[in-house]
């Protein structure tokens, strides 16, 4: 197995879709010696803005696909399927695949991988854990991805050299890669990304009178910040991961039902609150910075997959991928 | 009715309890020409810290009560009852009341007013909407009260000259007074202060594996910030307002149950999210800065009470109280 990442050390990266994440990624690529970036967006106004910002833009999807080594799909979830349909005939599929490395930045992974698999497109699923309540190219910022955690899916069918090449690109941009299966990703983000949006919206909706808003302080402001997100985005993000989000919501409803009963009974609430406090305190606890090097060149694919998944499952991350496939892992 | 606030323009303010709020208040009084502050705390170590910080401290509760014009009870909710029992014999009660103006800074109001009424102590209920996830004198900071919103209870039995004197002190410290009944306060803070703590704890408790925490980004971090609060404080705050908190939680459970059904049915989630988004957007909307002056000297008590409550109910606030009882109102 050739472990040296392809493509060559300075890949040409195409970014398809220049919203918040795609725009931020293209801006970041512009300041990065290790790759050349070009973008495209279906909205001519956004293309003009990107061009005016000094960013490289392609003349169309055809040109973008034909001239890049790595193609990053950065469109909203509902647009992934039509975009894959547009790309497939331009790349060949399956054994005949002759297109660029494919990856994406969508917030749900199993659904996207399934769409790619249906079309025999070898997509490495990715998800940078970065965002703001704002959206669109106008809000894009290279700094949004500073030290961001970037999930990359390790499935049984993932081509490992492709995975390593994408991981090398991501770590080169200053982000940390968390290797993970799509299912584990979707279950985790349901709990730490989509559930926060549901709870924030429910909390915000309760303050529907001016007095309550006049008394709202930091706890309400923080707890509802993401409720300002465009509803098209939150709705698509939750609907695209509906099964895992439903399970996470059921867990939360169960927890809240228990504290409702405690309140009714006048029981001690401290043990209930302690569960959340102890988990929250671990979020700010110093993370292990123990680093180890993992040379991948001679590893059997099954062993490498298992090692990567095990690293992600314990909260570890990859901070560097050398040109000859040596991973630097932390945590 | 004498509308000029008593006590004299430079009241001596006693702060009983030097935790986060009491300590911050005493620090703020130290930088305020309009009052003299002295504090006391049952913990000798905290008294020593306050003294070392250059703040005035009393030799004991007796001395504090005997030498102040306004006594601010700044003890945690469970300590309010024993503190009132300690104060009552030193002040006389009811018609014979001869103590300082009494006010408090506890996060629930009906329960505190009931405890004071049982002892015939004429307490003006107060609640500055300020806090952090930290607690104790060590975290106290005069800046915590910068432009804070400060609820002050207008009950049928509230002595209005006392209320105006406390409002003058509070606005003099740079805070804005929201006049409100205890019941309306408790219902509102259940929704904007206690419910955020319940949802934050439920959200935090779900991220009980390292992978989920590794993927946690801003939405989870913001949504769980207050879950780090000491559980003694959150538990007491919710238990002390159990009926209103239960009602607010029931509303949230109902909203979340509806979105659970929408997820199960594959229905459009946007209208559900839109309820929260529209309310949240009003939180950051520019507030009315229309100001008007309300001279209180010649108003009938019932009319003044109604005017104050109506101001609070529409989200308005009082930003200044002149020495002759003229209120500057905003919103």
């Amino acid at each position: 197995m050739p472990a040296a990442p392809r493509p060559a050390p300075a890949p040409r990266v195409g970014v398809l879709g220049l919203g918040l994440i795609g725009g931020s990624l293209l801006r970041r690529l512009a300041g990065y010696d290790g790759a050349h970036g070009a973008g495209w967006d279906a909205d001519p106004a956004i293309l003009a803005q990107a061009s005016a910002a000094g960013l490289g833009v392609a003349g169309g999807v055809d040109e973008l696909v034909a001239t890049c080594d790595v193609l990053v799909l950065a469109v909203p979830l509902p647009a992934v399927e039509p975009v894959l349909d547009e790309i497939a005939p331009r790349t060949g599929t399956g054994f005949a695949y002759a297109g660029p490395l494919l990856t994406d930045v969508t917030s749900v992974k199993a659904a996207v991988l399934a769409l790619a698999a249906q079309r025999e497109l070898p997509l490495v699923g990715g998800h940078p854990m970065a965002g703001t309540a704002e959206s669109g190219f106008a809000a894009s910022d290279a700094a949004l991805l500073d030290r961001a955690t970037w999930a990359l899916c390790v499935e049984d069918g993932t081509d490992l050299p492709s995975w390593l090449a994408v991981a090398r690109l991501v770590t080169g941009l200053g982000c940390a890669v968390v290797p993970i299966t799509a299912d584990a990703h979707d279950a985790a983000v349901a709990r730490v990304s989509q559930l926060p949006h549901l709870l924030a919206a429910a909390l915000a909706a309760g303050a529907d009178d001016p007095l309550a808003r006049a008394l709202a302080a930091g706890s309400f402001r923080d707890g509802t910040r993401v409720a300002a997100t465009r509803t098209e985005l939150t709705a698509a993000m939750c609907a695209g991961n509906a099964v895992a989000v439903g399970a996470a919501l059921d867990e939360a409803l169960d927890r809240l039902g228990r504290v409702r009963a405690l309140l009714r009974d006048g029981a001690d609430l401290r043990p209930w609150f302690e569960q959340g406090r102890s988990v929250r305190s671990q979020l700010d606890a110093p993370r292990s910075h123990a680093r180890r090097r993992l040379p991948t060149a001679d590893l059997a694919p099954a062993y490498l997959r298992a090692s990567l998944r095990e690293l992600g499952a314990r909260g570890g991350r990859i901070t560097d991928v050398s040109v000859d496939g040596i991973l630097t892992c932390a945590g």
Side-chain angles (χ1 to χ4, degrees), chain A residues 6-292:
Chain A
R6 64 169 164 102
R12 297 166 299 168
V13 181
V15 182
L16 206 169
L18 299 178
L20 177 69
I21 299 291
S24 299
L25 177 60
L26 190 58
R27 288 177 187 278
R28 199 163 183 99
L29 284 162
Y32 170 50
D33 288 339
H36 309 289
W40 192 78
D41 196 281
D43 182 343
I46 287 178
L47 272 182
Q49 289 170 38
S51 192
L55 302 171
V57 298
V61 173
D62 276 344
E63 183 186 316
L64 188 75
V65 173
T67 59
C68 71
D69 303 304
V70 182
L71 181 65
V72 182
L73 306 184
V75 295
L77 185 58
V80 168
E81 184 161 15
V83 161
L84 290 174
D85 280 335
E86 197 172 356
I87 289 169
R90 292 167 168 82
T91 57
T93 55
F95 288 116
Y97 184 76
L101 287 185
L102 278 182
T103 187
D104 78 313
V105 295
T106 323
S107 61
V108 297
K109 296 273 61 75
V112 168
L113 293 189
L115 291 171
Q118 285 162 17
R119 291 157 182 81
E120 297 186 60
L121 290 169
L123 180 96
V124 176
H127 181 205
M129 307 306 297
T132 70
E134 295 167 274
S135 58
F137 182 78
S140 68
D141 180 356
L144 185 73
L145 296 169
D146 271 351
R147 280 190 285 271
T149 297
W150 196 306
L152 277 188
C153 294
V154 182
E155 307 302 305
D156 288 343
T158 302
D159 177 61
L160 288 169
S162 299
W163 192 93
L164 290 166
V166 175
R168 179 167 157 78
L169 174 66
V170 167
T171 55
L173 290 170
C175 302
V177 167
V178 173
I180 187 172
T181 64
D183 286 342
H185 167 276
D186 289 353
V189 298
R191 287 183 284 144
V192 300
S193 180
Q194 285 121 30
L195 185 59
H197 284 82
L198 291 168
L199 297 186
L203 182 58
D208 56 356
D209 69 286
L211 173 62
R213 289 195 296 277
L215 296 185
S219 63
F220 182 82
R221 190 166 286 278
D222 285 356
T224 58
R225 184 183 61 87
V226 296
T229 310
R230 271 177 51 213
T231 56
E232 291 78 9
L233 296 180
T234 43
M237 183 174 79
C238 291
N241 196 19
V243 173
V245 172
L249 181 52
D250 284 340
E251 286 176 20
L253 287 168
D254 184 60
R255 276 198 190 89
L256 292 169
R258 278 188 278 125
V259 77
R260 182 67 186 93
L262 295 173
L263 274 167
R264 198 178 285 115
D265 299 344
D268 185 0
L269 304 176
R270 286 174 298 178
W272 185 88
F273 273 112
E274 182 55 29
Q275 295 176 358
R277 203 204 54 78
S278 67
V279 174
R280 184 56 171 78
S281 67
Q282 293 173 60
L283 194 67
D284 290 330
R287 293 169 68 169
S288 164
H289 290 287
R291 293 188 180 275
R292 68 188 175 90

